[in-house]
Amino acid sequence: RASTGRHSWTSAVAVAASLFIFGFEINKKNYFLKNNSGGKQMMLSKAVGNRFRDGITYPFRKAGGILPRWIRGSRAHLTARAQAVPNGFSLLKTEEIDEYSAKATIFEHKKTGAQILSMEKDDDNKVFGVAFRTPVEDSMGIPHILEHSVLCGSRKYTTKSPFIQLQKSSLKTFLNAMTYPDRTLYPVASMNDKDFYNLVDVYLDSVLHPRAIGDPNVMAQEGWHYELNDAESPLSIKGVVYNEMKGVYSSPDSLHNYLTFQALFPDVETYKERSGGDPEKIPSLTYEKFREFHGKYYHPSNARFFFYGNDPVEKRLEILEQYLNDFEPLPEVRGRSEVPTQSLKSSPYSVHQTVPVAKGQEANKNTATVAWLVSEERLPENEQLAWQVIDQLLIGNTAAKLRKALSDSGLGSAVIGGGMSTGLKQPYYSIGLKGMASKEDSQKVLDLVLEILTDAAENGFEESALDAALNRVEFGLREFDTGSSQRGLSFMFSAMSDWNYDQDPIQGFKFEEDLAQLKDNMAKDPNYLKSLIKTRLLDNNHRVLVTSSPDSSLEEKKLNELKEKLQNVKSGMSDEEIQEVMDQTKKLTALQAAPDKPEDIAKIPRLTLKDLDKEAKEIPFEEITLEGGVRGLTHSLATNGIVYADLVMDISGIDTSLLDVLNLFTRIASGATGTTDKSRVDLRHYIDTHTGGVSCSWTTFSPINRKDGEVVVQEPDKVSIKLEMTGKAVAEKSDELFQLFSEMLYDCKLDDQERVIQMLKESKSGMESGLVGGGNRYAGTRLASMRHIQGLISEKSGGLSYYASICRLLKEAETDFPSLQKKLQKVKDAIRSADPTSYLINLTADEKTLEKSLSSAQKFTATLPGTPAEGAGDPRDIRSGESLEKFKESLGKDVKDEGVIIPTQVNYIGLGGRLYQPGERVPGSASVISNFLRTAYLWDKVRVIGGAYGAGFSLNNRFGTFAFTSYRDPNVKETVENYKKAAEFLINEDIPDSEVERAIIGTISGMDYPQTPRVKGGASLSRYLTGYNHEDAQRYRDEVLGTSIEDFRDFGRRLQKALDEKSATDKPAIVAFGSKSSLSNSLEEGLSLDLIDAFAQKEEVKMT
């Protein structure tokens, strides 16, 4: 969790369920955004989560009327200091944000009334965004389809997709678009000034002058169209958003969240309908209505523009003015786009629906949510901060009062709901359970929620709990660590959640005053937090109980209904109309397949190789030796008095039969069951009182293999397993941090059967959601498991095979807990007896904090259990022992093609194999060509023409393996055939030198990205453990920059050989996740797949 002012972001509930991101998928378990054209993953849990901060509601009129109170008020400094303002703009407000060493200024464009928030901060990573308020009246998905479509060519930039051209050839650190329930946002970011303004210019032209409003083929491609290749074939519907939403509507979790939202706002169409689109309603969208929507809302008078970074404010306004001056004022648009207010209901109510599940999996698949619409107005800023503390107390961790009660009740498998959500016009509160035995249990969930809330409102919280919650919230505010996300983006998302409703977008960043007020309120009035729970929830009758029940026939029923509907549509067509659809299909396919004209591509501004930094970035570190011979790494970086600590130990010698309990053990060692001296609740209070968080995890590492000093492909069996404790604290609390490392790891309790059963149920539930919504990830893992031990371990501990393991462990926990407890004890014993020389402590902090933290680390290592091995140890050594060596036997078996059956309306298609043999070099050019395949060939063939939401190509440099994957794909065999033609494309296609250069630039953008000090320290640790050094990184970068067209041809020939491989062990394999009907049809079309029912496995899925 990270915070920006009072804006805090956690896992999304209804907001994320209705938020759609162009070209990206949301991994809802970890809240990653993963670029489906193959780019890197980025953690955005802070950016799209459900706790956006809101401001106070004030009356607002457009230019010429009353200014917003936040502009007129005493806190607005209209003339605070001299500031040059271009003639076309007015200065509305400027403030210094001392909390984050930034300055924020709001300008208004005089002619159109467009507002601009310009944030100045010493940060090279510059951010721009523009948001339009886009309310809907139906579920045809117009905002979502338009979000995709405006990036498909514009007035100045006439290629079919400037977006993908920018993906190929810019140094972007972020490039995307997002549809919320009531707004659409277009953000970009770059650390290169020239590149940044190129991105801004393309995006401004795209949103204000899109090709889509004059070319119906764009809506047909991105939204929906009938497809018919010949008169005898069945009619079908294709479209990128259409297929994306079919995938969303296959998810029981998404459907449940939709119903919750609909029930909370029964009278507000904007929130009751689905801005992303309902697959049953999308085909009702006409081109005329599509065009009308853009003209109605995509106007500067309805826009909010955001800039952040260290570039000149004057330059920002200059580029905006070039576009804004083209428009006349449209003062009525802001009123037209205003979201109505939902009146609070006078009595509670309930709603119910059925959702699709796999046959045989109906048991324990009921879900219930208790939700309140909290207010008709937005919460005051100081109350929002109070609710962050309340949420921490009620649901912030597994020991929090309400979450613990629900988890321990035995009514369900996993707690859902995010507590207080303030990202939309009105705040709402939600909490619930999934995995219930029957829908009647929903009343028990409601009763329990009300019971716990009533107790909290009457009796309050323990003093230790209050101190812990307040400390955790304050730590997050002051730390402002956004993880792998970008700080400028976090500021923007935060500001837009206020600004969209014409509230002050700045004040939320200035948390000091409200934090002091909160502490004062809590000190003076012991009933302060209790009264908020009572008035906002218990005394509020706008409460809904939402229940979803399983229906194993629903998916097949919908597929049959669609099939029948399309048959009826076709049978109702005349011969002329059928011919017209065939002609349109042929025309659209031809347009999609036609390459962009060189002169059109040349219009898109881009960098050249001369603009690129030739030097690889280095993260300096110091290697030290601590007490007991333990090695340490230190990184002296500006962390504002916070130390980020990692304790890493090698556990590769652990018995492989224990691998499937490692996930469970690390959750236990993260505090899930308490320790010998502290209960689960007391431990959590101690953690939150003294630190910013402590957790345990495990991972695999494969060391670098070298030949003549250069990095080459590693042998498939070379891997080590590492256990890691991570935590953060201020310098004065570093002793407590390391004491927690020791207590949680060595003294964790293993005898809490009820809690263990609950955790396994949560894991099972999470995997069931993941398999349905993210089959591409599971396909990639399964493909890797056929080639190397690291992939095999990933499959057994987190892939399709692991689902059967979880089911088996759950049964064991319920029927023979002592047996499972013995396995957990063996893991604990192995850790306690680990050789201390296999330990490594990694510290990232400023110099003063490092000094204090090192003293704490020395005391910790001096008391480590275990006996040092003879001779000098090295934490980078592979210590696999005999047990892990047995995994070799699982490699080299016959490779088979598989079809994995899941309840879904879309497919996830993987194909992979070995491209480089152990001992061969993978040149830097391979990354360039991989990037080119994703953003050129696969984008055109699988996404644009095929209609999939995304497609990717990944290359594992360490083990020399490759994998094609698609996401929310309507096809199976057609996609596989496109994969197999990729090599021919690279060998024979006329690829201009300019395209090679674009691909190089795009690859460099994936290598250079902004990092917080914590992320830098973690990246340096990974390099150290694998043996990858700065010289290796520089050599690889040089090879990337030197990529030529001949490298493309060589790679294509190598790929062709890999795809043509016929040997039983090295031939490429297909792993396809999809519905039974879709996979069965692919068998009839000639694919040979061994079909596996993902959820019908009684034993572990057999590894090939």
Side-chain angles (χ1 to χ4, degrees), residues 366-378:
N366 292 274
T367 301
T369 290
V370 184
W372 284 264
L373 187 61
V374 171
S375 172
E376 293 181 3
E377 297 183 345
R378 305 182 42 89

Side-chain angles (χ1 to χ4, degrees), residues 107-126:
F107 299 96
E108 183 173 81
H109 185 241
K110 293 178 180 178
K111 183 179 179 182
T112 64
Q115 290 186 9
I116 303 95
L117 172 56
S118 176
M119 293 194 68
E120 301 167 69
K121 184 170 172 60
D122 186 18
D123 189 339
D124 290 335
N125 191 55
K126 292 159 283 292

Side-chain angles (χ1 to χ4, degrees), residues 77 208 545 670 812 869 1072:
H77 310 294
L208 296 174
L545 176 62
S670 295
E812 185 177 7

Side-chain angles (χ1 to χ4, degrees), residues 375-391:
S375 172
E376 293 181 3
E377 297 183 345
R378 305 182 42 89
L379 293 183
E381 295 168 352
N382 56 356
E383 185 179 337
Q384 288 186 63
L385 191 57
W387 273 102
Q388 284 194 43
V389 176
I390 293 172
D391 273 352

Side-chain angles (χ1 to χ4, degrees), residues 394 397-409 680-681:
L394 289 175
N397 54 68
T398 59
K401 181 172 287 191
L402 181 53
R403 183 173 173 184
K404 181 177 184 297
L406 287 168
S407 295
D408 294 350
S409 69
R680 167 178 156 201
V681 174

Side-chain angles (χ1 to χ4, degrees), residues 901-1063:
I901 299 170
I902 55 175
T904 182
Q905 300 178 51
V906 291
N907 307 299
Y908 306 87
I909 312 302
L911 184 150
R914 177 170 292 284
L915 196 60
Y916 294 88
Q917 296 297 324
E920 290 188 311
R921 287 193 64 251
V922 180
S925 59
S927 288
V928 178
I929 299 156
S930 298
N931 179 53
F932 181 78
L933 279 175
R934 292 188 292 263
T935 57
Y937 178 79
L938 293 173
W939 178 272
D940 290 337
K941 297 294 184 182
V942 179
R943 186 192 186 278
V944 173
I945 298 175
Y949 185 42
F953 177 85
S954 61
L955 180 63
N956 185 322
N957 288 0
R958 190 63 45 82
F959 292 106
T961 58
F962 72 93
F964 292 93
T965 53
S966 68
Y967 183 71
R968 290 179 181 168
D969 192 340
N971 310 301
V972 180
K973 184 181 179 183
E974 180 182 332
T975 297
V976 172
E977 290 175 344
N978 279 320
Y979 292 163
K980 292 182 176 180
K981 294 176 182 176
E984 181 182 347
F985 172 81
L986 292 174
I987 295 169
N988 299 322
E989 184 72 12
D990 182 15
I991 303 173
D993 289 340
S994 59
E995 284 299 299
V996 175
E997 185 170 293
R998 288 175 187 274
I1000 293 172
I1001 296 170
T1003 303
I1004 291 293
S1005 76
M1007 300 167 70
D1008 298 343
Y1009 53 93
Q1011 296 176 306
T1012 63
R1014 177 172 64 86
V1015 174
K1016 287 181 179 178
S1020 176
L1021 171 63
S1022 295
R1023 282 192 173 186
Y1024 178 85
L1025 288 173
T1026 58
Y1028 192 80
N1029 58 41
H1030 180 66
E1031 290 71 25
D1032 298 325
Q1034 186 62 57
R1035 185 184 299 112
Y1036 198 80
R1037 189 183 189 90
D1038 292 342
E1039 291 173 353
V1040 166
L1041 292 169
T1043 301
S1044 68
I1045 187 59
E1046 191 53 42
D1047 293 321
F1048 277 63
R1049 309 303 188 206
D1050 289 343
F1051 189 95
R1053 288 186 282 269
R1054 180 181 284 270
L1055 180 59
Q1056 188 70 69
K1057 182 179 178 181
L1059 291 169
D1060 291 341
E1061 178 63 51
K1062 303 298 183 185
S1063 70

